[in-house]
């Protein structure tokens, strides 16, 4: 039985997981516009510490506040990534000195070891839309908010070869894509195209 | 210049010329003897002390040549002989010089002879003598020195040229395998405070990263090479140097990847080449661990009072430097910005012990807490790895939330409403009592029956009021809609109370059951804890399907290499090793050692079995058992067939 792709947002005990409520709809809209994937019209929220997380091939996780995973959350995250899931973690602060970044990278390093840089030649940037310069810059970066840096690369956990199991971003796509889908019509280029790449990569690679 | 002075000066010059020539020839004789001796030692099987003999012979040759030449030129030290030497080269003197310097005639004949003597120039004689006496010796010295200088070191080493004047004998020339016996000394890094290890005939050297390793063997170092191979592509040559009467290799464990050290003994005087492999297994200093014992769990405080008690156990495989309790206080400001304070509560040094305990207490009022703040605490521990550390370990984090007065999840902080559960308990007893009374209807005196029913009505009224209070709390005094289950229970209790007051027990019982079931369902209802408002925006998929305008340029999928690829290669290597085991055990050992290096981290069971097999082969014991274990480890779990296999005809 073919099951619709459902965009899942991870709920975790610490911090503010619910900080980008409009993002799922915005990405789902982009997926419908550019792919023929069978998609659920609404996203779901799934607890990182629950076994239900394993029902979703792609999970979005974001927040501003300090993150401390519980033992169960950490165990599930490790299993999820190692068993073929794709976890996208985005720093909603877009700030290298931000508390989310510091605490989250500590948690990830503790769980998986140091994150690896994703090269521009990686399939993630070419599997659907072409992003030859790597990850697209966000308004937050270009406006000089947060750490006033345009982060040139993303980092990842690659449990097998170069397959990405966990993608970590300081670019704040959570702010960039946290809008009503119809708002995108005012943009010259659909800003959520990179989200399509992420999900296509997660589902096909 | 008088005749006497002239002869005296010539005597001095001739002495120097003859002495220099003798020294040059003597040195040339030394070099010539060394050259001949080195060639003999290198290409003819001579006793081990032959190098020393050659050096002694060279010394004797030099001394002998010097003595002979000085003796032959001894006239230069005799005053009359020098005068005659001049007379011989200047016949026009007609013995005037000899007469002038002869003490018997010097006084009377000297002044008469001086004019004759002064006409003769002795410079050309002396220069000719210098050329004849010095240049051949100098030439011979340069020639022999050049030959010796350009001679291959491996030939010169036979006479221990680096230690020419030492009486210590050179390293013995071992014609057999110089790679056995081997000794290894492994010195762990200073920070680890571990003992030095001495290993005899090591097949594997295991040590902490940063360890210093010296491998020593017998014999001279010539022809011994050492190559460190971390994987199929990376090879690094390790210098082999002389060490007293033997050779040595010095290495530092700078990498965490296992490697194979291949030693090769290819002595120039032999055709047989010996080879030996040693597995280098560097171990990484693990990060320390911290286990938070107190606080036991996350909690919510209504007010900032009381004491925060912290307790943690810390451990490390080598030694702990220090441990701390750290905190982060985070809260959202009125402008919706995150405000964060962090710091260290306590820090304690552990001085390199492997385990320890950290405790600390602090009143909450001393922390920068405020309403709505989140206080996160954890233990952090550093090990004492000063070489490539320190490594840091973190405990679980406990979060203590300070409740706000206005927060909507007030169930957590306001006094609890009357429990529906207690109302149910009382109601169950009321139902039992009512049913018992109803059965006695007609048997009991009417007045007594009415009084009993009235008493039960009082209990029912109490329960009804309790349900009313729960309902009021839930609805906020009627501001929001009541829970239908509670409303049903309240209505049913109203009916039951009225029936019991007029002693209609039979009518009261169904109403009591209705109220009971409603309260039971209410108490079982799922309680949700809402953290925030999630605005769900369903997307009209049909409206936007494939309506995107941006151009898509997707690349083709690439095949990903199989995860088991390395196991396939290892299986092939294992088969090669087994094939080579009978005909060439050394080759089998070499293959298995390389396999061991590859598998030490990923397949430790296989690596251990291969190590046992190598040890057994080298000790000329039966390696069947470790080889079987290795094959089982290589093949993984035993598989089961889900169908009946075809009959092979073998039985």
């Amino acid at each position: 039985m073919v099951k619709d792709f459902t965009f899942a947002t991870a709920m975790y005990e610490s911090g503010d997981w619910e900080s980008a409520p409009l993002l799922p709809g915005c990405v789902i809209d982009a997926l419908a516009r550019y792919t023929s994937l069978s998609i659920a019209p609404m996203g779901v929220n799934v607890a990182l510490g629950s076994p239900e997380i394993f029902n979703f091939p792609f999970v979005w996780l974001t927040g501003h506040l300090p993150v401390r995973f519980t033992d169960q959350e950490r165990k599930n995250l490790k299993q999820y990534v190692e068993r073929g899931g794709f976890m996208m973690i985005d720093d909603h602060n877009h700030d290298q000195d931000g508390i989310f970044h510091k605490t989250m990278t500590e948690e990830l390093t503790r769980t998986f070891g140091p994150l690896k840089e994703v090269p521009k030649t990686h399939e993630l940037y070419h599997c659907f839309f072409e992003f030859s310069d790597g990850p697209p810059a966000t308004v937050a970066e270009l406006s000089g908010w947060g750490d006033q840096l345009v982060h040139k690369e993303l980092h990842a956990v690659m449990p097998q070869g170069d397959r990405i199991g966990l993608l970590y971003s300081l670019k704040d796509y959570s702010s960039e894509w946290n809008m009503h889908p119809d708002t995108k019509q005012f943009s010259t280029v659909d800003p959520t195209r990179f989200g399509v790449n992420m999900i296509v990569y997660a589902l096909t690679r | 210049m008088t005749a006497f002075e002239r002869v005296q000066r010539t005597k001095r010059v001739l002495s120097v010329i003859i002495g220099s020539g003798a020294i040059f020839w003597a040195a040339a004789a030394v070099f010539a003897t060394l050259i001949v001796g080195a060639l003999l030692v290198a290409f003819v099987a001579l006793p081990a002390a032959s190098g020393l003999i050659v050096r002694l012979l060279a010394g004797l040759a030099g001394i002998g040549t010097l003595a002979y030449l000085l003796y032959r030129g001894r006239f230069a030290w005799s005053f009359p002989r020098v005068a005659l030497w001049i007379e011989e080269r200047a016949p026009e003197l007609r013995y005037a010089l000899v007469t002038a310097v002869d003490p018997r005639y010097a006084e009377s004949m000297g002044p008469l002879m001086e004019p004759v003597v002064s006409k003769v120039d002795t410079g050309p004689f002396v220069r000719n003598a210098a050329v004849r006496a010095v240049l051949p010796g100098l030439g011979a010295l340069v020639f022999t020195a050049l030959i010796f200088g350009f001679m291959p070191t491996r030939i010169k080493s036979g006479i221990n040229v680096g230690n020419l004047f030492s009486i210590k004998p050179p390293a013995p020339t071992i014609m057999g395998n110089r790679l056995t016996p081997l000794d290894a000394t492994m010195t762990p890094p200073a920070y680890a405070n571990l003992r030095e290890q001495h290993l005899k005939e090591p097949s594997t050297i295991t040590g902490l990263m940063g360890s210093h390793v010296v491998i020593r063997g017998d014999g001279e170092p010539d022809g011994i090479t050492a190559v460190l191979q971390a994987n199929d592509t990376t090879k690094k040559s390790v210098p082999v140097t002389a060490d007293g009467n033997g050779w040595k290799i010095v290495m530092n464990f700078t990498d965490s990847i296992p490697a194979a050290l291949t030693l090769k003994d290819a002595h120039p005087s032999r055709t047989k080449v010996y080879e030996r492999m040693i597995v280098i297994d560097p171990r990484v200093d693990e990060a320390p661990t911290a286990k938070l014992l107190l606080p036991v769990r996350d909690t919510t405080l209504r007010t900032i009072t009381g004491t925060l008690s912290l307790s943690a156990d810390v451990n490390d495989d080598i030694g702990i430097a220090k441990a701390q309790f750290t905190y982060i206080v985070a809260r959202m400001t009125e402008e919706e910005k995150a405000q964060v304070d962090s710091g260290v509560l306590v820090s304690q040094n552990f001085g390199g012990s492997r385990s320890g305990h950290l405790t600390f207490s602090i009143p909450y009022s001393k922390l920068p807490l405020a309403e709505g703040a989140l206080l996160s605490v954890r233990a952090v521990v550093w090990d004492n790895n000063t070489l490539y550390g320190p490594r840091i370990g973190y405990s679980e984090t406990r979060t203590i939330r300070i409740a706000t007065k206005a927060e909507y999840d007030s169930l957590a902080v306001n006094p609890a409403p009357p429990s529906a559960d207690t109302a149910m308990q009382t109601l169950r007893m009321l139902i039992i009592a009512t049913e018992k009374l109803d059965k006695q209807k007609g048997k009991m005196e009417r007045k007594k029956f009415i009084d009993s029913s009235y008493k039960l009505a009082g209990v029912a009224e109490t329960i009804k009021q309790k349900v009313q209070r729960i309902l009021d709390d839930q609805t906020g005094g009627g501001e929001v809609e009541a829970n239908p289950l509670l409303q049903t229970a309240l209505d049913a209790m109203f009916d039951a109370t009225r029936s019991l007051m007029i002693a209609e027990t039979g009518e009261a019982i169904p109403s009591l059951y209705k109220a009971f079931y409603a309260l039971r369902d209410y108490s079982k209802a799922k309680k949700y804890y809402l953290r925030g408002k999630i605005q769900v925006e369903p997307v009209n998929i049909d409206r936007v399907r494939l309506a995107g305008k941006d151009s898509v340029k997707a690349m083709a999928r690439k095949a990903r290499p199989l995860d088991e690829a390395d196991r396939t290669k290892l299986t092939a290597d294992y088969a090669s090793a087994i094939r080579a085991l009978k005909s060439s055990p050394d080759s089998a050992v070499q293959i298995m050692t390389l396999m061991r290096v590859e598998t030490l981290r990923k397949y430790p069971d296989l690596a251990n079995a291969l190590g046992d097999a190598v040890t057994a082969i080298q000790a000329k014991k039966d390696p069947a058992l470790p080889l079987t274990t290795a094959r089982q480890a290589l093949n993984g779990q035993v598989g089961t067939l889900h169908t009946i296999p075809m009959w092979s005809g073998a039985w």
Side-chain angles (χ1 to χ4, degrees), chain B residues 1-4 6 96 100 109-119:
Chain B
M1 185 185 288
T2 64
F4 185 85
R6 190 180 295 265
M109 301 294 288
L112 295 172
M113 298 298 133
E114 284 298 333
V116 180
V117 173
S118 62
K119 287 180 183 170

Side-chain angles (χ1 to χ4, degrees), chain B residues 505-583:
Chain B
T505 51
E507 285 180 24
I509 289 169
S511 299
L512 289 173
Y513 269 109
K514 192 176 178 182
F516 178 78
Y517 290 136
L519 286 175
R520 186 188 63 182
D521 291 345
Y522 172 72
S523 69
K524 280 185 179 174
K526 234 178 179 178
K527 294 179 179 67
Y528 292 96
Y529 176 71
L530 298 177
R531 295 177 63 101
K533 290 175 185 172
I534 299 299
Q535 193 172 350
V536 179
E537 199 65 35
V539 177
N540 188 340
I541 301 281
D542 293 334
R543 182 172 69 86
V544 299
R545 176 64 85 183
L546 295 177
K549 290 172 186 169
D550 295 328
S551 58
V552 175
K553 188 183 170 189
M555 71 182 282
R557 285 178 65 180
K558 285 190 291 188
R560 191 178 301 136
L562 288 171
D563 191 33
E564 294 286 298
D566 59 344
R567 202 181 275 271
T568 310
K569 180 187 171 298
L570 289 168
T571 306
D573 290 347
Y574 180 80
S576 307
I578 297 299
R579 275 198 300 274
L581 192 56
K582 267 194 173 178
S583 57

Side-chain angles (χ1 to χ4, degrees), chain B residues 31-44:
Chain B
F31 278 118
T33 313
L34 287 175
I35 290 164
V36 174
L39 288 170
L40 284 172
V41 170
F43 297 109
V44 181

Side-chain angles (χ1 to χ4, degrees), chain A residues 28-46:
Chain A
I28 291 167
D29 174 87
L31 271 180
R33 281 181 189 276
Y34 293 103
T35 75
S36 52
L37 287 171
S38 182
I39 315 158
M42 286 169 63
V44 296
N45 302 319
V46 56

Side-chain angles (χ1 to χ4, degrees), chain B residues 113-405:
Chain B
M113 298 298 133
E114 284 298 333
V116 180
V117 173
S118 62
K119 287 180 183 170
V120 175
D121 180 13
T122 57
F125 314 146
V126 175
R127 276 196 292 277
N128 285 340
V131 167
R132 281 201 303 275
V134 175
L135 279 187
L138 186 62
L141 174 60
V142 171
F143 178 71
T144 51
L146 283 174
I147 289 177
F148 190 77
F150 285 107
M151 224 173 180
T153 311
R154 64 186 177 81
I155 294 177
K156 281 191 284 188
S157 64
I159 55 169
N160 199 8
V161 69
N163 207 4
L164 200 60
F165 301 106
S166 167
I167 57 166
K168 192 176 171 184
T173 305
I174 294 175
M175 300 311 290
N177 185 358
R178 289 177 291 173
L179 304 181
T180 184
L182 283 188
D183 288 336
T185 306
M186 205 270 297
T187 312
Y191 82 84
N193 205 20
L194 296 172
R195 282 186 186 173
E196 192 175 80
Q197 281 185 40
H198 296 280
L199 307 166
K200 299 274 184 197
E201 293 292 325
S203 60
T204 302
I205 300 176
T206 304
L208 267 181
M209 266 181 72
S211 295
H212 179 77
V213 176
V214 181
I215 301 170
R216 291 186 175 88
D218 292 337
E220 71 275 29
D222 287 345
I224 297 179
T225 54
V227 175
L228 198 62
Q229 186 175 4
N231 51 47
D232 289 345
T233 54
T234 313
K235 285 186 177 179
K236 199 171 98 180
S237 180
V238 185
V240 181
T241 54
D243 177 46
N245 286 337
W247 57 268
K248 71 174 177 183
I249 292 169
V250 179
M251 290 192 305
N252 287 314
F253 283 6
T254 53
D255 210 341
S256 61
I257 304 166
L261 178 69
T262 307
L263 300 170
K264 209 174 263 186
D265 176 6
H267 196 282
S269 62
R270 293 190 307 247
T271 51
K272 185 168 173 57
V273 174
Y274 296 95
E275 198 168 304
R276 180 170 180 166
M277 294 183 92
I278 299 172
V279 177
I280 304 297
D281 182 17
R283 294 292 160 94
V284 178
D285 180 3
E286 297 291 335
T289 58
K291 184 174 174 58
L292 196 62
L293 306 174
L294 286 175
V296 177
R297 60 182 68 84
D298 295 352
T299 188
T300 301
L301 295 179
R302 192 176 178 193
T303 55
I304 306 167
T305 54
T307 303
L308 172 65
S309 294
L310 295 157
S311 170
D313 281 338
V314 289
N315 291 283
D316 186 53
D317 55 344
I318 303 296
I320 302 163
K322 65 172 180 176
Q324 293 180 345
F325 282 121
T326 61
Y327 74 92
I328 299 172
V329 176
R331 66 193 181 95
M332 300 297 283
T333 63
E334 288 177 2
E335 295 82 25
E336 290 289 310
K337 286 184 179 173
Q339 183 178 323
V340 177
D341 294 302
S342 60
V344 177
L345 292 171
V346 67
S347 181
Q348 187 178 327
N349 289 322
F350 284 86
S353 62
R354 293 191 176 186
S355 62
H357 189 69
L358 185 66
T359 54
F360 186 66
S361 295
I362 184 173
Y364 284 109
S365 57
K366 291 198 173 175
L367 292 167
L369 297 173
E371 230 180 71
L374 283 172
L375 166 65
S376 300
V377 288
R378 65 174 177 173
V380 187
V381 56
W382 286 261
D383 69 11
N384 58 3
N385 185 340
T386 50
L387 203 60
Y388 52 95
R391 305 226 156 182
I392 305 171
Y394 305 93
S395 74
E396 283 293 297
T397 300
R398 298 277 181 268
T399 303
I400 294 139
R401 191 167 67 93
I402 310 300
T404 58
K405 284 176 187 167

